[in-house]
Amino acid sequence: MLNTPDDQLRAAVTPAPNFLRKRAMIDKLARCILFAAAAVSVFVTIGIVYILVSESLVFFENVSLTEFLTSTTWTPLFAAPSFGIWPLLSGTLTVSAIALSIAIPLGLLLAIYMSEYAPPKVREAVKPVLEMLEGVPTIVYGYFALMMVTPLLQAFIPGLPGFNMLSPGIVMGIMILPYTTSLSEDAMRAVPRELREGAYALGYSRFYTAIKVVIPAAISGITAAFILAMSRAVGETMVVAIAAGQMANFTFNPMEGAATITTFIVQVSLGDVRHGSIGYQSIFAVGLVLFLMTLLFNVIGFMLRRRYRLAY
Amino acid sequence: MTSFSKSIGMMKNVSTTAEPVATKRTHSAPPPASAGQEDTWLLEPEEELRARVSDLEFWYGDGTQAIQKLNMPLVDKRVTALIGPSGCGKSTFLRCLNRMHDLYKGVKYSGEITLMPENVNLIELDPMVVRLRVGMVFQKPNPFPKTIYENTIAGLRIRGIKKRAVLDEMAEKSLRQAALWDEVKDRLHQSALSLSGGQQQRLCIARALAVQPDILLLDEPTSALDPIATARIEDLLNELEGQVTILMVTHNMQQAARISNYTAYMYMGQLVEFNETDALFTRPKCQRTEDYISGRFG
Ligand SMILES: Nc1ncnc2c1ncn2[C@@H]1O[C@H](COP(=O)(O)OP(=O)(O)OP(=O)(O)O)[C@@H](O)[C@H]1O
Ligand SMILES: [Mg+2]
């Protein structure tokens, strides 16, 4: 049968008879596993939302939505409790704003440096350091804020209380800096070389190439980085819990201490508040607010990305 | 004869019209300078030059020498085509002329690229200054993620030109030059990325023309385009003859024949033959050129 070399070759490259069936089976199996994985994550998300919403409903049976949204005192554990979300929101927003005003501009500058200026050797040295910083437990940053940054700030700002929002805000900014840097840098480095060369060919300097061409081209990735940074800042707990004092306080003044949504949640869930009490239920309501906030950021980010989406 | 032509001892200074049609090769004509270099031909054009490349050598960061002792004139306001097999160093040579290589580490040049009539060596200038005067169009269209209008005037903006009237006028003029105006005049403020590939490439040409470059380099500008878009760009290049000094790499010999006044044939980092386009394609002086253009090569 296989007499000529040609025949032998053809036989050698002919697939086994059950080849197609086998391949189809593997395909089907892969699809099932992948679907299961996707289904689990969707299911978990739905579960979380369900618990948040249903437990919040219990809370809102006892507390009116109007009080929740308009009152400016948050004293759920007092004998005469008051449930205004504003003190927690102001704390969350102030600390996040301080953190982001450090992490975003600095992260962008570092990313520009790393992707457009740094020689490969520097980049190879800095990248792992940044990744290492990302791995430091947040509680370490918390004590760093309390024990080092606050005393340092007190040397410059007389009268700064030991618990304030400035110090954890700054430290949180430093904490998420590696994150924004590395995500924005990835986005900028994904910009094709031809686009950069096109700018240089027109006589652009390195800096103008970076800010006029590379950043606009990478804007969707950079926006994503910032949105993730925002979500992380509002969701961050430990640093603020340790260094800002956990006292709900309706103020946007960074020199004062405050509680944030997340610090309140840990405080209650770790404390001796009776399960099922109204104070306990309140953590689901504020948790829902936090969830809606990050959802909002992500939707905005999604829309911005769509708006700037580039087909290169 | 210039000192330059003496420096490559074997050059013949003959205008093509005077050259008898019968002679096809120059194997025997001048005594070769060295045994290995038996077969090169360099026309000394009678027209005014815009630049002259003398003994150019170039090394990439990894030590690869991609250009060897390259000599070539660049005629003012004429189209010169650069042909040669893949990997022979056409792009490398082109990118020497706007110092694009300087963006990358460890590259090295030797020799001279003299800009005329200023008589300055381009290799000794600041690369950014060179790029302000030598424009480039790439193989793949690379418009910036901005509007069509902003793309067209990007080079002017970077030169600090702010007057709206000037910018508007230059935008229209260069878009007209690039034969794109009629297609985009109603959508100047839409994203350049909404254009087709051929339109994007013409936009890139408009962008390069808007800054009035002394020399325009084009690296296979039509290789990613369909025949219609290609024809439009060829028309455009034909029209630019007499206005801008153009050096264009192409793999398409018909294209080279259609649009260029001069053609240079490169092989393995060296220039084999530089001649008027007609002459090079109909009466090549070198055996290697003839082999290549007749398809006997590779
Ligand atoms: N960045 C680089 N580093 C090292 N060597 C390179 C680099 N780029 C190109 N080369 C080498 O230089 C030589 C010339 O390459 P070049 O890209 O100039 O060829 P080309 O004539 O433009 O080819 P093509 O027609 O395929 O575009 C090749 O041998 C190539 O391998
Ligand atoms: Mg090339």
Side-chain angles (χ1 to χ4, degrees):
Chain A
M1 279 237 299
L2 304 175
N3 15 29
T4 73
D6 254 16
D7 286 344
Q8 289 170 11
L9 252 177
R10 206 165 298 129
V13 298
T14 306
N18 60 351
F19 167 75
L20 281 180
R21 191 145 23 101
K22 224 165 155 183
R23 197 172 62 172
M25 247 166 60
I26 292 178
D27 232 46
K28 209 180 250 170
L29 192 69
R31 189 183 310 199
C32 286
I33 292 173
L34 295 176
F35 177 79
V40 166
S41 63
V42 169
F43 182 76
V44 169
T45 311
I46 291 176
I48 291 172
V49 173
Y50 173 78
I51 290 175
L52 272 181
V53 171
S54 60
E55 297 287 326
S56 299
L57 284 179
V58 177
F59 173 78
F60 284 117
E61 274 165 18
N62 296 291
V63 177
S64 78
L65 192 62
T66 338
E67 180 187 352
F68 186 69
L69 292 180
T70 54
S71 165
T72 54
T73 41
W74 179 258
T75 50
L77 308 179
F78 284 17
S82 172
F83 298 96
I85 182 84
W86 280 104
L88 297 185
L89 269 184
S90 72
T92 303
L93 293 176
T94 308
V95 177
S96 301
I98 297 169
L100 293 173
S101 65
I102 289 177
I104 287 184
L106 226 55
L108 198 54
L109 284 178
L110 266 169
I112 293 176
Y113 173 73
M114 295 268 286
S115 112
E116 306 300 308
Y117 285 85
K121 273 190 190 135
V122 173
R123 189 163 46 230
E124 276 158 31
V126 173
K127 259 293 214 210
V129 173
L130 287 183
E131 271 152 25
M132 213 173 68
L133 282 176
E134 275 181 61
V136 174
T138 56
I139 190 149
V140 175
Y141 283 103
Y143 279 101
F144 176 63
L146 184 67
M147 321 285 266
M148 294 188 61
V149 177
T150 301
L152 195 73
L153 288 172
Q154 280 169 332
F156 292 99
I157 310 170
L160 184 73
F163 289 130
N164 60 73
M165 293 191 276
L166 185 61
S167 165
I170 292 172
V171 171
M172 197 200 288
I174 296 169
M175 191 179 87
I176 56 183
L177 180 62
Y179 193 60
T180 49
T181 305
S182 123
L183 286 176
S184 330
E185 194 221 338
D186 288 346
M188 288 171 66
R189 298 212 335 133
V191 172
R193 200 178 83 159
E194 297 93 62
L195 208 57
R196 278 193 188 85
E197 290 192 345
Y200 286 118
L202 272 182
Y204 277 57
S205 63
R206 209 166 264 268
F207 182 65
Y208 273 98
T209 303
I211 61 166
K212 299 278 186 189
V213 174
V214 178
I215 289 182
I219 197 71
S220 74
I222 293 174
T223 325
F226 292 169
I227 298 294
L228 286 171
M230 276 160 85
S231 300
R232 242 193 106 172
V234 298
E236 173 48 38
T237 314
M238 266 314 165
V239 180
V240 202
I242 291 169
Q246 304 195 18
M247 283 292 293
N249 180 5
F250 181 50
T251 175
F252 291 97
N253 179 1
M255 308 302 167
E256 291 180 36
T260 63
I261 295 178
T262 51
T263 57
F264 172 73
I265 294 175
V266 265
Q267 193 185 357
V268 169
S269 48
L270 296 181
D272 48 9
V273 179
R274 195 167 44 80
H275 281 218
S277 72
I278 186 72
Y280 185 79
Q281 287 313 121
S282 71
I283 67 174
F284 293 100
V286 296
L288 184 63
V289 170
L290 187 63
F291 173 78
L292 291 176
M293 264 166 81
T294 43
L295 186 69
L296 181 72
F297 292 150
N298 286 310
V299 169
I300 293 173
F302 180 74
M303 290 194 320
L304 283 177
R305 272 215 303 283
R306 270 247 297 248
R307 167 127 166 51
Y308 292 117
R309 190 180 45 198
L310 300 171
Y312 58 68
Chain B
M1 289 264 270
T2 62
S3 59
F4 158 73
S5 52
K6 276 184 224 121
S7 72
I8 50 158
M10 46 169 313
M11 191 169 73
K12 289 173 63 178
N13 189 7
V14 201
S15 90
T16 39
T17 42
E19 183 66 11
V21 181
T23 334
K24 275 210 162 186
R25 281 152 222 166
T26 56
H27 281 303
S28 46
S34 67
Q37 262 197 349
E38 82 295 349
D39 197 352
T40 59
W41 171 276
L42 190 58
L43 169 79
E44 185 54 40
E46 287 178 340
E47 296 178 272
E48 205 165 306
L49 299 191
R50 180 72 243 196
R52 184 187 282 289
V53 181
S54 320
D55 287 338
L56 180 71
E57 301 199 87
F58 177 79
W59 292 264
Y60 278 108
D62 62 1
T64 319
Q65 179 168 12
I67 303 287
Q68 292 166 27
K69 292 280 177 207
L70 193 146
N71 290 284
M72 189 180 128
L74 199 55
V75 182
D76 193 32
K77 297 193 171 37
R78 293 285 176 262
V79 180
T80 303
L82 196 54
I83 60 170
S86 193
C88 72
K90 303 179 296 296
S91 303
T92 307
F93 174 50
L94 211 63
R95 292 158 64 89
C96 289
L97 289 166
N98 69 345
R99 303 281 301 279
M100 198 49 107
H101 296 301
D102 292 57
L103 294 177
Y104 305 100
K105 269 239 147 17
V107 299
K108 205 176 103 197
Y109 304 85
S110 89
E112 284 177 19
I113 301 173
T114 313
L115 280 179
M116 320 272 215
E118 303 88 339
N119 241 329
V120 292
N121 182 3
L122 185 153
I123 289 172
E124 280 158 12
L125 294 178
D126 176 349
M128 221 126 73
V129 172
V130 173
R131 292 183 209 125
L132 288 172
R133 301 178 51 185
V134 181
M136 183 164 195
V137 175
F138 297 75
Q139 181 169 2
K140 212 175 128 212
N142 56 356
F144 302 142
K146 301 178 189 223
T147 64
I148 295 168
Y149 177 80
E150 283 298 331
N151 261 281
T152 318
I153 59 160
L156 297 169
R157 283 223 190 276
I158 218 72
R159 284 158 178 77
I161 294 159
K162 292 203 179 71
K163 281 217 183 75
R164 194 77 196 182
V166 176
L167 293 175
D168 285 352
E169 193 192 323
M170 289 310 297
E172 176 169 350
K173 184 176 164 232
S174 28
L175 285 171
R176 278 190 193 282
Q177 265 188 316
L180 189 59
W181 175 254
D182 290 331
E183 287 156 69
V184 301
K185 62 171 187 273
D186 299 322
R187 49 193 284 208
L188 286 175
H189 298 286
Q190 286 178 21
S191 166
L193 301 169
S194 65
L195 296 172
S196 75
Q199 290 173 325
Q200 289 187 3
Q201 191 64 311
R202 275 178 285 150
L203 178 62
C204 292
I205 295 177
R207 183 174 77 183
L209 288 173
V211 298
Q212 313 290 307
D214 292 343
I215 300 174
L216 183 60
L217 310 169
L218 301 110
D219 194 349
E220 302 184 43
T222 61
S223 66
L225 306 181
D226 72 80
I228 295 170
T230 301
R232 302 197 74 144
I233 287 178
E234 288 183 9
D235 288 347
L236 154 68
L237 292 172
N238 268 326
E239 273 167 39
L240 289 175
E241 187 202 324
Q243 300 176 43
V244 194
T245 306
I246 291 178
L247 181 60
M248 180 178 89
V249 174
T250 177
H251 273 292
N252 180 334
M253 282 184 261
Q254 280 81 34
Q255 181 173 66
R258 278 194 297 269
I259 59 169
S260 67
N261 310 94
Y262 296 90
T263 299
Y265 170 58
M266 275 183 78
Y267 180 67
M268 304 236 305
Q270 292 174 316
L271 190 85
V272 174
E273 181 162 350
F274 172 82
N275 209 336
E276 289 182 352
T277 298
D278 280 352
L280 188 131
F281 283 112
T282 56
R283 293 163 265 125
K285 299 284 182 192
C286 307
Q287 181 64 48
R288 288 188 287 174
T289 316
E290 187 178 344
D291 289 350
Y292 182 68
I293 61 178
S294 62
R296 226 175 299 160
F297 174 97

